[in-house]
Amino acid sequence: MENVTFWDLLTFLWNNAVCFLTECRINAFGIDFTLWEFGLGIAVVSLLLYAIFRVLN
């Protein structure tokens, strides 16, 4: 039986998460993007909206 360390488990989980985020594609309104790009876009839009509403307040 092979010893599995905590770091082996974290590496396995990280590699599978990166693979999933890279391979899973979203096609909406004629736009094709991955989950990485979707997450980054949501973060940028959230920061822009926060800054805009902060200035208007």
Side-chain angles (χ1 to χ4, degrees), residues 12-53:
F12 171 76
L13 291 174
W14 175 258
N15 288 337
N16 282 328
V18 168
C19 184
F20 175 74
L21 289 172
T22 304
E23 291 178 0
C24 187
R25 302 194 71 79
I26 299 172
N27 295 318
F29 307 112
I31 301 173
D32 180 40
F33 47 87
T34 64
L35 286 178
W36 279 114
E37 295 163 342
F38 180 73
L40 184 61
I42 292 295
V44 168
V45 168
S46 296
L47 287 172
L48 285 174
L49 287 175
Y50 174 76
I52 289 169
F53 286 115

Side-chain angles (χ1 to χ4, degrees), residues 1-2 5 18 57:
M1 184 172 200
E2 183 180 336
T5 65
V18 168
N57 193 10

Side-chain angles (χ1 to χ4, degrees), residues 1-4 8:
M1 184 172 200
E2 183 180 336
N3 290 336
V4 177
D8 291 335

